[in-house]
Amino acid sequence: MRESILAAIGKIPRGMVSTYGAIARAAGYPGNARRVAWLLHRSVGLPWQRVLGSGGAIKLRGDSAIEQRLRLEAEGVAFRGRRADMKRHEFKFPQKRDSSRQPAGRAKRRRR
DNA sequence: ACTTTGACTTCGG
DNA sequence: TCCGAAGCCAAAG
């Protein structure tokens, strides 16, 4: 849990970013975005700068937010306004799904 | 053992 | 775009 979340964060490659919610899901704990944030805050040795809020928004305050942005830009992540360009830099965690994936776009969102 | 606390997210107005 | 409310739940104190 702690480990799976931390491991997921560690898989984000340089130049890519992910979000709290996506990491929680990838770690097997959907809906636990806050835990991801909590762990990030008190753990060390993680690529913390690569974790953003939904939509690519930086959720830190003050100086930390500036530092995060600088670090990401240094890795090649582009920003559009206050958000990272997720279309180009969002890291997709590998999922195990069988080959019966819909070939055409149209991603569907479950929920309620 | 109980309460507070988050670097959150989504929805509605 | 911004604001508030509700859902979420392990870890800290």
Side-chain angles (χ1 to χ4, degrees):
Chain A
M1 35 185 32
R2 217 184 285 206
E3 276 61 32
S4 49
I5 290 177
L6 297 182
I9 295 172
K11 289 175 188 167
I12 305 172
R14 204 189 127 83
M16 293 284 127
V17 298
S18 191
T19 67
Y20 303 96
I23 289 169
R25 285 194 298 278
Y29 300 92
N32 289 35
R34 296 211 299 240
R35 213 140 294 91
V36 175
W38 200 86
L39 287 171
L40 262 179
H41 190 63
R42 65 174 303 291
S43 301
V44 293
L46 293 170
W48 60 272
Q49 70 272 29
R50 299 180 191 148
V51 185
L52 305 170
S54 68
I58 287 180
K59 302 301 256 185
L60 288 99
R61 267 83 71 160
D63 297 346
S64 304
I66 297 173
E67 182 183 344
Q68 179 168 30
R69 176 160 175 163
L70 290 175
R71 281 171 174 262
L72 288 177
E73 291 180 325
E75 292 189 356
V77 176
F79 277 77
R80 227 181 62 244
R82 326 168 153 154
R83 304 179 168 193
D85 188 334
M86 299 306 269
K87 292 185 198 296
R88 287 190 296 178
H89 305 288
E90 180 174 22
F91 174 63
K92 310 293 189 180
F93 286 93
Q95 298 192 305
K96 335 190 119 162
R97 224 163 203 78
D98 63 66
S99 47
S100 50
R101 285 248 43 153
Q102 298 258 313
R106 267 281 347 102
K108 231 199 43 63
R109 63 164 61 176
R110 53 260 171 282
R111 172 176 317 297
R112 331 191 182 244

